[in-house]
Structure formats: C-alpha cells, structure tokens
Amino acid sequence: MVRVKSRYLLCEINVSDRRDLLKLDDRAVAGSVKAAVARTHGDYGAALCSIRFCVKYLNAHTGIVFLRFHKGFYKLLWSALPFITSIECRGQIIPCFLNCLHVGGTIRTCQKFLIRYNTRQLHQMLPKYKNKGNEEKRKIQEAILSCSLTGGGNKALEDELESEEEDDEFIMPLYHSDLRH
Amino acid sequence: MSAAKAKMREKKMRNQPASVQYPSPSHVESRAENGGEGDDAGSRTTLSISSGTSVTRAELTRILGGQSDAHPSWKRQQTPPVRHGWVRGHHNGDGGYDTEMPNHITAGAFARARAAEVSAMLKAATELTCSSHVFRALPKHMRRRAMSHNTKRLPRRLRNVANRMREKSLQAGLKKKKELVKSKSRKARRRHGNLLLEFNRRQRKNIWLETHIWHAKRFHMVKKWGYCLGVRPTYKCYRPCYRAMSSHCLLQDLSYYCCIELKGEEDKLLAALTQLTCKEAGPTFAAAMFLSGARQGSVTVYRAGQYPSDPLGPVTFLWRPQTPGLTPRQLWIWAHPALKQDLLPELQSVCQCSEAMAPPVEPEVSRAEADPSPQAEPNPDNELKAGAKRKRCCKDAGEPPAKRILGDGTRLPTSPVTWRSSSTGIVINDLTMEIVRYRLIGPQSHSVLAETLEAATVCDELKSSPFWWPEHCKDRSNMKLHQQQTDVFNVLKGIYSSGELPPGTVLGLTVDDPRLTLPRQKVKAAPCVNRDQVGDEEKRNQLMLKGVPLQCCQSFLWEQSVRENVTDNKISEQELNRMRTELLVPGSRLGPGPQQGRVPVLLVHQPGKQVGDELGSWGSGWDLLLPKGWGMAFWVPLVYRGVRVAGLHMSLKHSQDKAAPHFPHDYPDCPAGSRFQEEQEAEFLETFRRRPPAKRTNYIKHGCLAPFRCPWQQLAEEWELLATDGGAERKGDGQTQKARKSHEVMEEVTSQQTVAAASPPSFTVLSFLGHKFHKLNCIFLSAHQNRKSLRLLSSWCRPLTCRGQRRGRGAAVALPLSDSAVTSFHSAHKMSVVWVRLTLLSKGKPEAHAMVCAPTAEDLKLFGKSPENCGPQEPPHKDHYKSRINHKKKSSKTATPSQVSDDPTASTDPHSPSDLILGLWPDPLPSVTSHCSRVTLGWVTQGDFSLSVGRGEALGFVSVSGLLHTLLRQPPELRGTLLLRNPTSLHYRFVRLNIDV
C-alpha cells in the first residue's frame, strides 16, 4: 500500500559456452546492464539506472538473474537489456544475451514464477529423454521428485500464494525460451 | 557492521535462497550496504564475509553433492574454501573453473541445477522471514481488522504461531508497564450506592450545588470559592444567552450565594447594622421600604464605622415581614461566598455574638459522627412509607451511609452555624446551602415562573398528618393568605415584562410539586395574553405601581421547621415514577395528593439596569428561593420551559451590560476584590510566561506599565500630587509641560515615600508602593457610594448641547464647571477614583486593563473636525531591559556566577536581572500617569463588545482629580471625550465617558 514500488525482472543469461556461466558475478551483471542503458539512453538513462537498481539474485549454474528496477521507469531500462551482447567479468568478456522471462511486482512472485518455470522444464524434459542410459533418466526423476516433495501443507499455502499473486503480479507477455540441450 | 546487525540479518535471510556466485570480499561489503536499504532480497546470504559464503557453498554442495561420485570435478569445484576471505581470482591450486566445467550439458546436471534452484525458491517463497507477522501469509481478502489483537480472527492453522508471537510481545510490554491498580468494574462503580459514596467523597473539599450533576454534564466546571461551579456551557451559546437575557429568560443557579440569618429585636438589629453602612450611599438596612419586608434591598457593607474607607462588599438583604404575634425580626443577608469570610466575623463583632451554639444534634445523628449529612436525616416513621424503605434504613445503620448530601458537605457536623449574643439577644445563623436560589433573568422570566409553578391545592384532610401543609390548611387565616398570594401570582402572569414591576418586589407563595406538571417535551414559555377582563387590568396596574401587598410577602420559607419538614418529605423521583405507572390512564397527569409536597417559595424581583439613561430595566428578572433538597425538582421543570442556562461567565456579562460593577471583579478596594486581583494577575502572568519569549507581547514597547493589574493606589497618589502642585499654574499648562512636570513630581513621590515609611500611618499617608499587599487608601466611588457628588460629577462630564444647556437628569442640580467648584469638589474627594462607563465612538473592542487617557488639545481638534477619526497613535517605546536580559544571558553563559556578581552594572542595578521578565516592567513602576504621550487617568476593569449597545463598551475607574483636571481643559462641546488604549495596541481610540447615577 504505502511503500516504494519496484519491478523485478527475472532474466535468463544465455551464453554460448556453458563454462562461462560460473565466471559471472552480480557486480559484473549490474555493470553491463548499466553500460547498456548508458549506451542506449544516454546520461538520462544512466542516471535512472542508478536509482534503486540492483541485482538481487544470480545463480551461476542456471544463469538466472533477478534485476530490481524502480517501477517508474523500468520499461525504459528494460528496453536496453536486449542490447547486452557480452558481460565483462574480471577482464574476460563473456558473450551472452539476456532473456527476460518474467516481470513481477515483488520478489516473491518472481520466485514463484521461477518455481513453476523450472518444474515445467523438468517435467517437459523427462518424456523427451530418448537415450538408453538409465543413469541420466534416473537422475532427472530424482531431481523432479526432490523439488516436488514439498509436503501437503505447503501446497495449500501455495494456492494462497497463487491468489495473492493476482494482486501483486504485474502480468506481462513472457519470453519463453526453449530448452537448450 | 556490528555483530547484532549481522545476526539480525542472518536471521532474516535464513530462508532466502542463496545467490550462487563468487564475489570478492570488497564487493560483499558494498552489497551488504545495499541490502541494508532493501526489503526482502534474495541474494544476501553472501554477506557475512567468508563464513556466509561458505555456508552458501555448503548448502549448494549438499544439494548437488549427492551425485558427486558421478562428477568428481564438480565436487572439487564446490569444495568450500578453507582460507579466510575467498577471492575468486586468487583461487590458486585449481587454476579456475573453466577447465573444470564440462563443455557439454548432461541432462542430469541440468535437472539437478534446476531442482536445486526450485527447492531453494520454494523454501524462500513459502517460509516467512522472521520479522514479518503471521498474517502476512494470508491473502488480502482473508485479512481482518484487529487481527493482531484477537488471534481468533486468524485461520486456525495460523493461530498457534500468532499466539506465540503475541505472548512474546506482551511479555516485552509487561516489563515496562507498571501494574495498574485493579479497580472495581464499571457496573459496580455505577451502582447507585457506590456512586453516591463516590460522590460524597468528591464533595468533601468543594461544595456541590444540588444541580451539580446536571451542570457537570453540560458545563465547564471550576472550583471557586469552595464550590464547584459551572463557568460556561460546553456548547456555543454566547449570543443565544444574550438573546435569552434580552428577550426571553436566562436561568442561573445562584445557590452558592451565602445566606446569613439575623434574628433579634428590630431596634437592636438596626443599631448594630448601621455601623456597617452609611446613609450617604443610599438606602440602608433601616429604610422603611425594606424594613417592612416588601422589598429586597442591596447595600455596600463597610467595616464597622469605617465608611467610606474600608468596604467589604455588596450584599442584598431581605427582612421578614412583621407578623403580629412575633416580636423578634428576622433578616436574611445574602452575600457572595468570597465576601462571607469577611462579613461573618464583622457581623459577629457588631452584634456581639460570640457564643457559638452547638449545632442541633438530632438523636439519630449521634450514632454516627462521620455521617456527612446530619441535616438530611431519615424521615419520621409513618405508615405511608413502604416497608422496603424502612428495611433499607435499618441496613444503613450498620454500613457507612450512602446518602445524598443536602447542604454543605464540607463543613464538619460539629462546627457551629449559630451564634448568640447574651447582651443583645441577637442570633446569627449561617444558612449557607440551606436555601436554594435560582435566578431568572429576562423580560419573560415571570411567564416561565407562571407556567412552572402552580399555587398549592388546598387539601382538607381532617386527621393529623406528618406533612406541614394539611396542618396549615386547618388554619383559616393561613388559607386566606394563601388565597391572596395565589391571586397576586395569577395577576403576575398577565404583565408584559418583568421589568415593569417595582424593583425588589417580594412575593411569598406555596406551590405544588412542579414535577407533577412537567411537560412531555420542552416547550417555550409564552407570555399570557388574555387581557380582556377589566378587573384584571386594574389589579395589574396596582401590582405594577405599588408592588405586591405587604401581607403577601409572608412565606413559610422563613420558618426553619417548615423548611425541614418540606425537605424531609420530598417524594423521590423513583416513587413519583412508580405512582405515574399506577395511573389508570397512562400519560395522564398525576393529581396532587396529600402526600405530595407543597413547597413554600419566595419570589424576589431582581431589578435590571437602574443607572444611566438608555436601556432602562434591561436584564431584570426574578429570583426563586427554595428550601434545600428541592433544587432538581424545580430545575428540570424550569429548563423544560425553554429557558437558557448560563454559568458564571454570563453573570459577568449580565452585570457588564447593566453597567453595574460585578463582585469581586470590580471591587478592588474590598478584601475579596483585592484577593481576586492578585489571583487574576498571577493567572495572567502564568499564561504570559508560558509563551516563548519571541512570541510574547512586549508591553514595555507598548508603553503599558501594568498589563495584568491596575495600580490604583499609585494612580491616586500621583494625581493627588499633580493636582496640588499643578493647581497654581493650571492655566495654559500644555500636556507636554505637564508630562515633564509629572516626572519631577514622581521624584518627589519617591522621596516622600521614604519619609512616609518612617512616619506613623494616618489616612493620607502614602503606603509603600513596592509592597505587594498594600492596603488601598484610595476611595472607590461607585453608584453605591456618595450619590450627590457622583451626580454632580456626572453632570460635568456631559457635553453641552448647542443651546448651552446640559442634558439629562442632572441638569437641575448642576453647578457649572468652574475652578472654584472643582477645587471644592476635589477637597471633598481626595484620593478618589470613580466608576465610569466608556462607550467607544468608533470601532474597537476594549479589553481588561486598557488605559483610559486624556486627549491632548490637538487630538480634540482632530476629533472635532471628523468624529469618525480613528484616533492618535502612541509612538513605540524603547525596551531598555531587553539588553540587560540579553547581557545577563550572555554573562551567565560565559562567566561563573561569582564573576557576574562582581560586575559593577549588575551590583548597581536595583532589580537583579533574574526577576526581569522580557516584556514586563519590573517593580517598582515609574510614574504611571505620565509614562505615555497621553496622560493616564485610569484603567478598564472589564470591557467587551456590548451586544446591547452594538459598540465596544468598557467599565472601569478613573482618578477623580485627573478627570476634573482634564474636564477643565476641554472645550465644553467635547467634554467627556477621552482616549482608550488596549495594552496590546499602540492605537488610541476616542471614547465617551459616562458616569451613571
């Protein structure tokens, strides 16, 4: 009701070389976003980008990033994200692009979206698995089980969270990315 | 970051997912700061420098490590760093990740990474951070008001957690909060008996009037003169009250006025009382009109034989009409409670009543000394009382009495109220709170009375009863008197206005219980208009010209036994309502039976404005005198007749509109008045000092010497000196010269003071000015004092009309204003100040303590040209004390106290800077007369915009010698034009001076 409002962008960093992912850190991501904004929107954009901009979360294994922007001008900043072609991290230039998956009003909605997104990916992955090696398939099954074994109590809460989502979530067309193999 | 802060953050972030990355320590610091302003971020587990990182990694390892056997390289990579301060670039030994990370994607690893993230996110999304409350987990539509207070509003599954949290917070609160004293429940407190006990406890310090509860619900109450009195209603009613006074009726409870009863032989009483008064000041106790008992008189009382110097205050008095059988006369003196403490000892000494008689102890009272109300004792037994009632009485004997206090609750039951003189046989009886007195002000007050009261119905019961009325009905002469009184009362209904009656008329009456005729709804009493009968017209004229016939002034209210009987036999409200329910036709009127009380009352006419030419008899009305205990029984029916009820504030305005001095505000010469002035000054000073210095009015700059009091004594003395010295060279004495002169005179005054202090005091000796509690030596002339000279002075003040004739009543007696006449008048009235009324000629609202000044010749010339001229301005004065205060502040800051005392200026300064108040002149004051550019003549004691005149009006005193001095210099057509200046203003306004006689 009475608070500073933000938009959280849930983005996926796509790199050509998977190994580069582990080199990332949040400062590098933030720096590249700032540079891209400055490049596309000039000083004005750079100044806007200094207000409440922050990288909230970075998973170096999956390449998921939460970016926080001020609600007032997040669209402007968002428009600069496609211009990121590489992230410079400790002298190494990692070619990549950012793919925005979700825009949320709170970090919780982003988290919840991420849960849904990841589980869907896993569920899609299992029937597509064609290889004979049972080892890998078993691992996928285990992974699916480990993330869905949350207990009945949490399920109920999740439903409530879903309903809460309607208030908080800022629904935008999502950029779905295909699974990369 | 402090340890506590880190701990808190860790607690908060316990359930948040880890941001999986490898930051450098410096970066971690900056992130931590960033996170400080964030709300519920996800990535901040990495903040606690190396341990935090290691935890993250350990977690990740736990998640991913299950398959470490399949990917040994992963395990190596994920091994938590042992070294403190993990830096990625210095990750020596392994040589970076890129070699470790496989170039291809295996489905298992991919799935694992996603699964780990999902579980971390799930944990973060479902579990709450510690700082938030339970119901944050609830969706908005399930949130309820006051959920944190009442956990039952929460869904059941969340209640446990909420209860735990609530207890925790309560315990934290309890540590600070002091344990409250557990009082009885409200229901128990409001139970009738307990409530009465509580009321009686609260009445111990200050007397409550009988209408106290009624007033306390509607009025701002103050504790004054030992009473709890209503000042003004809580609702806005200033103008409605004025309208009621001038066109309908305004009701006040004046029961706090003290009645002192004197009994004795007429000549002995008069001999004693003449010492207190003087014929010069108007009719006294011995005036034939009052002595007969047909009129109520009012007189200013002085200390025995001290006239005109030592006044006590104004009183009203009423003689009981002489009855053939009774030789000792009875006199009631009504005095203000502030005056009583001075008046009663004086009366005792005059009447030589020193023997205190023990209060009459009733047999039932003896058992309980603590009983606060010996007067209100249980009724004598009779068969009419219900059995339940008697049982209650028996029960009461054992318990502390919870009875309604009637009369004075603050007085000890053993303290004497009666004093007897052995030599003269006079008995003084203090009847404080024994008689209820209501005042009705306004032209329609008689119609209100006529509608409320109904003359008592005769009951012809032959057997003896405990009530007084049936006994009285047996006597033929009593009945005849009652018939006469009823006739007069009926005639009274027909008159047009209360002001038409001769002032002070008294009518005795016996009336039915007014509760029986209580209307269902509030009605507005309208005047009775049937004037068709000729006989009535004659009777009305008779009543208006001659007043009430003498025999009708008799009332049984004078008899103590009857009063007590009436008080004791009052039917309670409860009983009355029970009888109403038993009526055959619901809502019909209850007939007056024998057991219902007949109340003897006394109606006393209150004169309105008696002085001055305009608005004659404005604000006249009636006083209703009742036996005690019947207050509310009459109050509510009166209120139901559409009267307005007012408090002390309105009675002040009433007397102001009547141009009469109000006790004790306008009696600075009386002890009560001077006490009041001191209280008022202290109060004003208190409010003044409460303001920040920068927001205070600087009265020094305004040239106002005494904004909170009026130094009458100094004024009179200065004018005395000016008049005696200036008498020789009066001709052509300009104001500026006079001002300079008065400065010289002031020096003389101060030199004389030192002499006077040494010499033995006589009447004219100047008392020491600096002394705060000096006795006033100046004489206050007001309408109650020397009338003849006042009339003369009044005629001098009026401007001459164009034909050279004086207007008004004083024309016949007037001596022309001349030097010789003034000198003779002045010699007769040395050191006097006179009560005047000032009417503003243009706009402006005078305030209390405004200065009355004499205009200069130029001012008058300007005024003569254009009377609409607003008036001259006072040049702003300089505040010399301000720098001294500032200096003192500075020195106290820099220097130690010893150094301050060494300061030569401070030591020579007569007033130490500590008692200097910014904006106020310190004592002793310089010359009050010549301080400003216009010479001060006096001050206003009360002033306001007068609704009756439609202009600002002020009442106050001016010095007689100053006034004469000024009048002599004024051109005859502008005589009596003075200037008035408020203490907070520099603007003088022209006023017309009137001395009303």
Side-chain angles (χ1 to χ4, degrees), chain A residues 8-9 13 25-34 52-59 64-69 98 107, chain B residues 19 21 27 31 34-35 41-44 46:
Chain A
Y8 294 89
L9 267 64
I13 302 174
D25 69 358
D26 54 356
R27 200 163 53 142
V29 175
S32 62
V33 169
K34 273 180 186 164
R52 277 184 69 74
F53 168 65
C54 161
V55 177
K56 277 297 190 187
Y57 171 83
L58 170 69
N59 192 336
I64 296 292
V65 180
F66 286 0
L67 300 176
R68 184 182 70 185
F69 291 129
L98 289 184
I107 221 164
Chain B
S19 179
Q21 52 174 318
H27 176 230
R31 282 305 311 275
N34 267 348
S43 68
R44 268 167 275 139
T46 48

Side-chain angles (χ1 to χ4, degrees), chain B residues 69-82:
Chain B
D69 47 346
H71 295 276
S73 62
W74 267 64
K75 181 169 186 183
R76 205 153 33 127
Q77 178 222 327
Q78 297 295 341
T79 312
V82 194

Side-chain angles (χ1 to χ4, degrees), chain A residues 17-19 22 26-27 55-62 90 108 111 115 118 125 136 150 157 160, chain B residues 18-22 27 31 41 43 60 78 88 98 101 103 105 108 114 117-118 121-122 125 157:
Chain A
D17 188 359
R18 249 200 97 234
R19 283 170 298 182
L22 287 179
D26 54 356
R27 200 163 53 142
V55 177
K56 277 297 190 187
Y57 171 83
L58 170 69
N59 192 336
H61 294 278
T62 56
R90 291 196 194 83
R108 275 166 92 83
Q111 286 171 343
I115 294 165
N118 279 341
M125 212 167 97
E136 291 291 307
T150 46
L157 190 64
E160 283 164 22
Chain B
S19 179
V20 187
Q21 52 174 318
Y22 310 98
H27 176 230
R31 282 305 311 275
S43 68
L60 207 66
Q78 297 295 341
R88 191 204 162 258
D98 30 354
M101 191 90 166
N103 204 5
I105 296 175
R114 260 66 186 170
E117 196 174 49
V118 165
M121 286 295 157
L122 213 53
R157 65 195 158 76

Side-chain angles (χ1 to χ4, degrees), chain A residues 8-89:
Chain A
Y8 294 89
L9 267 64
L10 169 58
C11 299
E12 183 183 46
I13 302 174
N14 292 327
V15 287
S16 49
D17 188 359
R18 249 200 97 234
R19 283 170 298 182
D20 290 343
L21 269 183
L22 287 179
K23 292 176 192 163
L24 291 174
D25 69 358
D26 54 356
R27 200 163 53 142
V29 175
S32 62
V33 169
K34 273 180 186 164
V37 170
R39 208 166 52 244
T40 48
H41 299 299
D43 286 347
Y44 176 67
L48 292 185
C49 197
S50 65
I51 302 169
R52 277 184 69 74
F53 168 65
C54 161
V55 177
K56 277 297 190 187
Y57 171 83
L58 170 69
N59 192 336
H61 294 278
T62 56
I64 296 292
V65 180
F66 286 0
L67 300 176
R68 184 182 70 185
F69 291 129
H70 194 281
K71 189 192 160 191
F73 32 82
Y74 80 102
K75 279 185 179 165
L76 187 86
L77 305 179
W78 188 10
S79 66
L81 292 190
F83 296 96
I84 299 174
T85 51
S86 61
I87 295 172
E88 191 188 352
C89 187

Side-chain angles (χ1 to χ4, degrees), chain B residues 765-816:
Chain B
V765 161
L766 311 172
S767 63
F768 182 56
L769 287 184
H771 194 254
K772 193 146 186 225
F773 300 100
H774 67 265
K775 217 162 103 190
L776 285 169
N777 280 342
C778 49
I779 298 150
F780 286 75
L781 292 175
S782 68
H784 285 296
Q785 284 131 351
N786 201 332
R787 254 169 216 243
K788 208 190 268 172
S789 36
L790 270 178
R791 216 161 271 161
L792 186 64
L793 197 59
S794 163
S795 68
W796 284 344
C797 290
R798 293 200 189 107
L800 291 177
T801 52
C802 46
R803 272 188 285 161
Q805 291 291 315
R806 286 175 199 281
R807 288 180 296 141
R809 293 181 296 188
V813 290
L815 250 72

